[in-house]
Amino acid sequence: MRDWSRDGTARDERVAAGRVLARGKAVHRDDAAKLLEALLKPGDRVCLEGDNQKQADLLAEALTRVDPAVVHDLHMVQSGVVLPEHLDVFESGIAKRLDYSYSGPQAARVARMLFGGKIELGAVHTYLELFARYFIDLTPHVALIAAVSADRDGNLYTGPNTEDTPTVVEATTFKNGVVVAQVNEIVDRVPRVDIPGDRVHFVVEAGRPFYVEPLFTRDPGAVTETQILTAMLAIKGIYAPYAVKRLNHGIGFNTAAIELLLPTYADRLGLKGEICTHWALNPHPTLIPAIESGWVEQIHSFGSEVGMDDYIRARPDVYFTGADGSLRSNRAFCQTAGLYACDMFIGSTLQIDLAGHSSTVTTSRVAGFGGAPNMGSDPRGRRHPSAPWLKAGREADPDAPAPLRRGRKLVVQIGETFGDGNVPLFVEKLDALNLAEKLDLELAPVMVYADDTTHIVTEEGVANLLLCRSPAEREQAIRGVAGYTEIGRGRDRAMVERLRARKVIQRPEDLGVDPLDADRSLLAARSVKDLVHWSGGLYAPPAKFRNW
Amino acid sequence: MRDWSRDGTARDERVAAGRVLARGKAVHRDDAAKLLEALLKPGDRVCLEGDNQKQADLLAEALTRVDPAVVHDLHMVQSGVVLPEHLDVFESGIAKRLDYSYSGPQAARVARMLFGGKIELGAVHTYLELFARYFIDLTPHVALIAAVSADRDGNLYTGPNTEDTPTVVEATTFKNGVVVAQVNEIVDRVPRVDIPGDRVHFVVEAGRPFYVEPLFTRDPGAVTETQILTAMLAIKGIYAPYAVKRLNHGIGFNTAAIELLLPTYADRLGLKGEICTHWALNPHPTLIPAIESGWVEQIHSFGSEVGMDDYIRARPDVYFTGADGSLRSNRAFCQTAGLYACDMFIGSTLQIDLAGHSSTVTTSRVAGFGGAPNMGSDPRGRRHPSAPWLKAGREADPDAPAPLRRGRKLVVQIGETFGDGNVPLFVEKLDALNLAEKLDLELAPVMVYADDTTHIVTEEGVANLLLCRSPAEREQAIRGVAGYTEIGRGRDRAMVERLRARKVIQRPEDLGVDPLDADRSLLAARSVKDLVHWSGGLYAPPAKFRNW
């Protein structure tokens, strides 16, 4: 006779062991490591909350202090490998296996530890994909999460950085798991219930805010004229003809430049109300001028952004906010929105090969994926039409019978032909392939695959890959906008001119864009201080962005 | 100077108008229509909760009774058009525009009303796609939802049928919307908080349970020997060689037969533990014998199923359940899991054409999509490898460089060559195309597209479309399993034999399956009563399934 509640019994035993250290649900921060020793069993799947923004940093530090003789070989299933502590636990043997999504700041150390066999790699995911596995085969036994405040019943208030928390908690608590929350403070009444208390087993008062990285802030002062030019080409060559209203912007100066050109350049083109009205986007400070100029209908966000809280609170018609007035972000829903409800994803990358595959990996850095592959993929399950989507579908397959022809999501890669430190954007072979060989990975870490990429924008022009009819045309379309890089110099000039005649490649002059007009005076804001002015003093940039 | 909280002010005005009829948050059911008249404005986007299972039926009925002079031209954005009331509001002019996902029981009337111009159609979506749009461009102004109970603060308990509720509420309440919940009863303390009270504005006590349709119950007594044969072929021809552990089953007798063969036929093949361990699936009664035989590790569910509550409560190691012991379902997360964390989707359909497109539409019935197109599509944003996924990828594109070759989700269509009423499964032209012409739709309502379909299973054999190298081969592979239908008789026998030699087509004998063995004695349960026995009396089938 099988016992059908073994997991439930085990959960009850874990909770009972933890209760010894608790007053109600509250455990003192000095006992955090002891609590984890009481709750965790060797081999447990553990989600230590942390993504590209918020971090359960107190619990991360506590996990490094448990006794490896008691707690070892954990299987970490978490969005972000961002803090040193996230990797320290692998050095000490507390953790063994890793399934994750993003590791920006730790990319080099992750690579070293993978080479050194210090980490048993499950897979690198996109956020939504990892969340999906939380409900199927990577369900956490224990979740260590972060919130702003808790009441005595364990009701949690996440504030603007709700992010992954509801998803992590749902997968864990409803599958016999244990949820431990670090909170900045314990209060009598939370301003808003982001997580109901009956899903939370323990609360640790940190006495200080959890760490948040201002990852989506770009200083307009650092936007170059080449980036302004690529922004002009993108607006005139893609945003306008496809009339893209629902979209997501990746991180970077190229897309920041586009945001800063909406109230100026795009406005003069008469595009207000015609493009960029509905967004799946974090609260980018560089979008403030466009919002203030009435360009933006609404924005749903994955997470929040440091310094934007007061501004968001004063713009409830634009952002999703709670009764308390602050942002309610949600990474799972925003990624879903980016996948299925947006007509365009545009972002920058490190390397693009001759087929159009792109990657942000170098042989010494394993940065992970984050959300780009999800947003930057064509959702084959989509069934609702929209003008941009149908136009892209027609261009890709003009001869197919219309009612059986799906549209295509616009997936745009934008960048300068030579990036930071004059490193060429275009390469014969992605470093991701060398990395896959070195690490013996079954898949190379490709950020956006060639068959999903529809356009490439550089200062030399816009390549529309939807209009290419053969791999050879595709390669020449890419070489045709690769400038003076080796890839660009290797172009077949005759074929490139033929492609240009077919508008597969469009030069600035073909689009009526004069590179000499690409001037910083086109930027709606030229500095972080300008952004503060645009916001009516509501945007409070982090210290490192205050140069006045 | 723009007012940035117009929506918030409008929300506050709506709520104030409703409060006149309320005691705290509670409004008497006799005042439900008055409440809706107070809250709704012409042209509002309204989500009237209802999917293929649960229905906010009291609020649906109340909406039909509002004064069309006061409330008209509503834009309904909801998962299901299932109750007569869902269409009555269009007859009376209360509603005008419709964006939805599923309309099974109302398919014929929806078609008539579309032809008659009674409904202005936005689009037909998959569930997850519609949820995505709730956060971008179809955000509801008012959500009318259903729960089991509420406390005085408006905290809601959904019981096992959580389904769409958390998603609908999140999109609405955090974007200045108003949330009205019908509940079976108001209690002092809810058993579990599925929706925090601060997201709910009004509660109407129905005094009776909301309607739930037992859509996923199939009587083993009605499983035919042909369906048993197709199940044997699927298990031996697909489940076994690909070693599919993570999967979703569509609705229907063919997949029910597979579920009933796991503890018998599949067990004798030594497949226990090798296949079907992790599921994105509603609580199908026909899976009970496999669960009881220890085949199933865990199941995450879109919704619940009538009569399964006690069984689920007694099997918490298998299902996702709350502290109250009952199921916690979640359509958005389960659809995400089906998209990104499952290696196979298998389902039945009404029509398959020569390319492999399939549809459940007939010219007189617009049934909608539900979740199948999402589950039955290849998720291009997926980045984690798995054995079945990689094998399918290799078969589809053997010459591509491995590290740049993505895997493929297995998308299987299963059925008898002649379906109900001897209607052929295979057709030259989908009725969906005629419908698209008649209604002048931009897209034909295709359930699963040819380029996503990897296998077709009929009693004549298994066609592996991944191994086809040309449209001609594809067509013959399909004709080759189309039996005595016109499509089947039109096959090129020589090419079909060549495809068979390459294992593109596999006959029962090629798979070592003797059609004479396809006997009802292979079914682990041969009746609903058997299922009750298997469940130890915990499964309580609805009256219409009790024939003893």
Side-chain angles (χ1 to χ4, degrees):
Chain A
M1 182 58 188
R2 172 170 169 185
D3 173 4
W4 291 97
S5 55
R6 270 174 301 189
D7 301 348
T9 308
R11 186 259 330 275
D12 296 343
E13 286 165 5
R14 292 168 190 261
V15 172
R19 285 265 180 272
V20 175
L21 297 158
R23 270 218 186 144
K25 292 183 173 180
V27 173
H28 192 282
R29 55 181 167 273
D30 297 345
D31 294 331
K34 270 206 223 94
L35 175 68
L36 299 185
E37 274 181 15
L39 298 178
L40 294 166
K41 299 188 187 321
D44 274 350
R45 280 187 302 268
V46 178
C47 176
L48 175 54
E49 186 178 19
D51 49 42
N52 55 5
Q53 300 181 272
K54 82 187 283 194
Q55 301 299 336
D57 51 356
L58 178 139
L59 295 173
E61 188 276 332
L63 188 60
T64 64
R65 287 189 288 106
V66 301
D67 179 356
V70 179
V71 179
H72 50 85
D73 298 324
L74 297 179
H75 179 179
M76 306 306 291
V77 291
Q78 63 196 52
S79 291
V81 176
V82 173
L83 304 174
E85 292 83 354
H86 291 159
L87 290 169
D88 295 345
V89 292
F90 286 91
E91 301 278 5
S92 60
I94 292 167
K96 181 182 182 185
R97 188 171 173 81
L98 176 64
D99 278 280
Y100 78 108
S101 292
Y102 167 83
S103 57
Q106 297 295 334
R109 189 172 168 205
V110 168
R112 283 196 304 276
M113 290 179 70
L114 287 172
F115 293 137
K118 280 279 187 189
I119 296 174
E120 183 182 303
L121 182 66
V124 187
H125 307 74
T126 72
Y127 291 124
L128 193 61
E129 173 186 14
L130 182 61
F131 297 158
R133 294 190 70 187
Y134 284 167
F135 294 92
I136 300 294
D137 62 339
L138 291 181
T139 307
H141 295 98
V142 177
L144 310 176
I145 63 168
V148 168
S149 59
D151 64 20
R152 261 97 195 146
D153 298 326
N155 291 300
L156 301 182
Y157 172 61
T158 61
N161 298 91
T162 315
E163 305 186 9
D164 308 14
T165 312
T167 309
V168 170
V169 170
E170 175 142 7
T172 306
T173 206
F174 292 117
K175 197 64 187 60
N176 301 304
V178 179
V179 174
V180 181
Q182 79 172 64
V183 299
N184 305 354
E185 58 173 349
I186 293 176
V187 298
D188 290 333
R189 187 178 172 76
V190 290
R192 169 177 99 199
V193 178
D194 288 296
I195 306 294
D198 58 8
R199 302 179 194 177
V200 179
H201 300 91
F202 297 100
V203 172
V204 179
E205 187 173 32
R208 55 167 175 77
F210 56 79
Y211 180 72
V212 181
E213 172 72 24
L215 193 68
F216 297 87
T217 299
R218 291 294 179 276
D219 184 345
V223 174
T224 67
E225 292 185 337
T226 313
Q227 288 160 345
I228 293 168
L229 176 58
T230 58
M232 294 165 75
L233 295 174
I235 290 169
K236 220 163 173 194
I238 302 174
Y239 287 63
Y242 291 97
V244 180
K245 291 188 168 184
R246 311 179 302 167
L247 72 163
N248 167 262
H249 274 185
I251 310 177
F253 283 100
N254 300 87
T255 43
I258 293 170
E259 291 157 17
L260 292 168
L261 289 191
L262 293 179
T264 56
Y265 181 71
D267 194 74
R268 289 204 285 281
L269 295 174
L271 296 173
K272 186 174 176 178
E274 304 304 311
I275 64 170
C276 301
T277 52
H278 295 76
W279 298 76
L281 195 79
N282 278 319
H284 290 189
T286 39
L287 196 62
I288 291 173
I291 294 169
E292 294 302 302
S293 308
W295 274 68
V296 176
E297 290 267 327
Q298 71 180 55
I299 301 170
H300 188 260
S301 300
F302 313 93
S304 189
E305 185 64 0
V306 178
M308 288 289 283
D309 296 352
D310 293 344
Y311 178 72
I312 292 164
R313 187 178 291 275
R315 300 292 180 266
D317 285 359
V318 174
Y319 294 99
F320 281 68
T321 56
D324 66 304
S326 73
L327 183 73
R328 164 81 175 193
S329 59
N330 188 308
R331 193 169 310 278
F333 285 135
C334 200
Q335 287 287 339
T336 301
L339 176 68
Y340 268 133
C342 287
D343 294 314
M344 178 169 86
F345 164 78
I346 178 169
S348 313
T349 187
L350 275 182
Q351 296 187 330
I352 301 176
D353 72 11
L354 289 171
H357 297 299
S358 60
S359 167
T360 57
V361 160
T362 67
T363 41
S364 62
R365 293 176 55 80
V366 181
F369 292 123
N374 172 65
M375 245 97 55
S377 66
D378 188 44
R380 311 276 288 257
R382 175 174 165 175
R383 293 292 182 270
H384 75 282
S386 71
W389 186 77
L390 290 170
K391 175 180 164 72
R394 279 193 303 274
E395 289 181 341
D397 191 2
D399 306 326
L404 281 176
R405 179 177 57 207
R406 272 180 288 190
R408 281 286 299 272
K409 175 188 272 181
L410 298 166
V411 176
V412 183
Q413 295 288 0
I414 182 169
E416 303 99 285
T417 54
F418 288 93
D420 293 350
N422 263 348
V423 178
L425 173 62
F426 298 90
V427 297
E428 288 275 349
K429 183 185 180 187
L430 296 176
D431 283 348
L433 281 164
N434 302 324
L435 184 80
E437 287 154 21
K438 263 173 91 172
L439 289 175
D440 194 28
L441 302 176
E442 283 163 308
L443 293 172
V446 174
M447 182 66 83
V448 177
Y449 282 89
D451 53 6
D452 283 321
T453 307
T454 64
H455 295 75
I456 297 173
V457 181
T458 71
E459 72 277 8
E460 202 186 3
V462 178
N464 181 345
L465 305 180
L466 292 166
L467 298 174
C468 295
R469 297 292 169 249
S470 70
E473 284 193 1
R474 213 179 154 79
E475 174 179 332
Q476 291 304 322
I478 293 168
R479 290 187 185 274
V481 294
Y484 295 104
T485 63
E486 234 178 86
I487 298 301
R489 296 203 306 277
R491 73 187 58 173
D492 170 340
R493 302 199 168 279
M495 192 193 253
V496 165
E497 280 316 305
R498 284 197 301 278
L499 292 175
R500 187 179 170 187
R502 277 168 43 201
K503 293 183 164 10
V504 175
I505 293 175
Q506 293 188 286
R507 302 284 176 223
E509 54 268 42
D510 303 332
L511 290 164
V513 172
D514 182 349
L516 295 178
D517 295 341
D519 184 282
R520 286 185 41 80
S521 64
L522 281 182
L523 298 175
R526 278 155 230 160
S527 67
V528 171
K529 197 170 186 179
D530 286 352
L531 293 174
V532 175
H533 285 308
W534 269 105
S535 76
L538 292 165
Y539 171 45
K544 69 173 175 178
F545 290 101
R546 295 173 169 280
N547 45 15
W548 62 92
Chain B
M1 181 59 186
R2 173 171 167 182
D3 172 4
W4 291 95
S5 53
R6 269 173 301 188
D7 302 349
T9 309
R11 187 258 331 273
D12 296 342
E13 286 164 5
R14 294 169 189 259
V15 172
R19 285 264 180 274
V20 174
L21 297 159
R23 271 209 179 160
K25 292 184 174 181
V27 174
H28 193 280
R29 55 181 168 273
D30 296 344
D31 294 330
K34 270 204 224 95
L35 175 67
L36 300 185
E37 275 182 12
L39 298 178
L40 293 166
K41 299 190 189 320
D44 274 350
R45 280 186 301 267
V46 177
C47 177
L48 175 53
E49 187 177 18
D51 50 41
N52 55 6
Q53 299 181 272
K54 81 187 282 194
Q55 300 299 336
D57 50 358
L58 177 138
L59 295 174
E61 187 277 331
L63 188 60
T64 64
R65 287 189 288 107
V66 300
D67 178 356
V70 179
V71 179
H72 49 85
D73 298 325
L74 298 178
H75 179 179
M76 306 308 290
V77 291
Q78 63 196 51
S79 290
V81 176
V82 173
L83 304 174
E85 292 83 353
H86 292 160
L87 290 169
D88 295 345
V89 292
F90 286 90
E91 302 278 7
S92 60
I94 293 167
K96 181 181 182 187
R97 189 171 172 83
L98 175 65
D99 278 280
Y100 77 109
S101 291
Y102 167 82
S103 56
Q106 297 295 335
R109 190 173 168 204
V110 168
R112 282 197 305 275
M113 290 180 70
L114 286 172
F115 294 137
K118 280 281 187 187
I119 297 174
E120 183 183 305
L121 181 65
V124 187
H125 307 73
T126 73
Y127 291 124
L128 193 61
E129 173 186 15
L130 183 62
F131 297 158
R133 295 189 71 187
Y134 284 168
F135 294 93
I136 300 294
D137 61 341
L138 290 181
T139 308
H141 295 99
V142 175
L144 310 177
I145 63 167
V148 168
S149 59
D151 64 19
R152 260 100 194 141
D153 298 326
N155 291 299
L156 301 183
Y157 173 59
T158 61
N161 298 89
T162 314
E163 306 188 8
D164 309 14
T165 312
T167 308
V168 169
V169 170
E170 174 142 8
T172 306
T173 207
F174 293 117
K175 196 66 187 59
N176 301 305
V178 178
V179 174
V180 181
Q182 80 172 64
V183 299
N184 306 354
E185 56 173 350
I186 293 176
V187 298
D188 290 335
R189 189 179 171 76
V190 290
R192 171 177 97 197
V193 178
D194 287 296
I195 306 294
D198 59 7
R199 301 179 196 178
V200 179
H201 301 92
F202 297 100
V203 172
V204 179
E205 187 172 31
R208 55 169 175 76
F210 56 79
Y211 180 73
V212 181
E213 171 74 24
L215 193 69
F216 296 87
T217 301
R218 290 295 177 275
D219 184 344
V223 174
T224 66
E225 292 186 335
T226 313
Q227 286 159 346
I228 292 168
L229 175 57
T230 59
M232 293 166 76
L233 295 175
I235 290 169
K236 221 163 170 193
I238 301 174
Y239 288 63
Y242 290 97
V244 180
K245 291 188 167 186
R246 311 180 303 169
L247 72 163
N248 168 262
H249 275 187
I251 310 177
F253 282 101
N254 301 88
T255 43
I258 293 170
E259 291 156 19
L260 293 168
L261 288 190
L262 292 178
T264 56
Y265 180 72
D267 194 75
R268 290 206 283 285
L269 294 174
L271 295 174
K272 187 174 174 180
E274 304 304 310
I275 64 170
C276 301
T277 53
H278 295 76
W279 297 75
L281 194 79
N282 277 322
H284 289 190
T286 40
L287 197 61
I288 291 173
I291 293 169
E292 294 302 302
S293 308
W295 273 69
V296 176
E297 289 267 328
Q298 72 180 56
I299 301 169
H300 187 260
S301 301
F302 312 93
S304 190
E305 185 65 0
V306 178
M308 287 289 284
D309 296 352
D310 293 345
Y311 179 72
I312 292 163
R313 187 180 289 274
R315 300 292 181 265
D317 285 0
V318 172
Y319 293 99
F320 281 68
T321 57
D324 66 305
S326 74
L327 183 73
R328 164 81 175 191
S329 59
N330 188 309
R331 194 169 309 278
F333 285 135
C334 199
Q335 285 289 340
T336 301
L339 175 68
Y340 268 134
C342 288
D343 293 313
M344 177 168 86
F345 164 78
I346 178 168
S348 313
T349 188
L350 276 183
Q351 296 186 329
I352 301 176
D353 72 10
L354 289 170
H357 297 298
S358 60
S359 168
T360 57
V361 161
T362 66
T363 39
S364 62
R365 295 175 53 80
V366 181
F369 293 123
N374 171 65
M375 244 98 55
S377 66
D378 188 44
R380 311 276 291 256
R382 175 175 166 174
R383 294 294 182 267
H384 75 281
S386 70
W389 187 78
L390 290 170
K391 176 181 165 70
R394 279 193 303 274
E395 290 181 339
D397 191 3
D399 305 327
L404 280 176
R405 178 177 57 208
R406 272 180 287 190
R408 280 288 297 273
K409 175 188 273 183
L410 298 166
V411 177
V412 183
Q413 295 288 359
I414 183 169
E416 303 100 285
T417 53
F418 288 94
D420 292 349
N422 264 346
V423 177
L425 174 61
F426 298 90
V427 296
E428 289 275 350
K429 183 185 180 189
L430 295 176
D431 283 347
L433 281 163
N434 302 325
L435 185 81
E437 287 154 22
K438 263 172 91 173
L439 288 176
D440 194 28
L441 302 175
E442 283 162 311
L443 294 171
V446 173
M447 183 67 82
V448 177
Y449 282 89
D451 53 6
D452 283 321
T453 307
T454 64
H455 296 75
I456 296 173
V457 181
T458 71
E459 73 277 7
E460 200 187 2
V462 178
N464 182 344
L465 305 181
L466 292 166
L467 298 174
C468 295
R469 297 292 168 250
S470 70
E473 285 193 358
R474 215 180 153 78
E475 175 180 332
Q476 291 305 322
I478 292 168
R479 290 187 185 273
V481 294
Y484 296 104
T485 61
E486 236 179 82
I487 298 300
R489 295 201 307 277
R491 73 187 57 173
D492 169 341
R493 303 199 167 279
M495 195 196 244
V496 165
E497 280 316 305
R498 287 197 299 278
L499 293 175
R500 188 178 169 189
R502 276 169 44 201
K503 291 184 165 14
V504 175
I505 293 175
Q506 292 187 285
R507 301 286 175 221
E509 54 268 43
D510 303 333
L511 291 164
V513 172
D514 181 348
L516 297 176
D517 295 341
D519 184 281
R520 285 186 43 80
S521 64
L522 280 183
L523 297 175
R526 276 154 235 164
S527 66
V528 171
K529 196 169 186 181
D530 285 354
L531 292 174
V532 176
H533 285 310
W534 268 106
S535 75
L538 291 166
Y539 171 45
K544 68 174 175 177
F545 290 101
R546 296 172 168 280
N547 44 14
W548 63 90

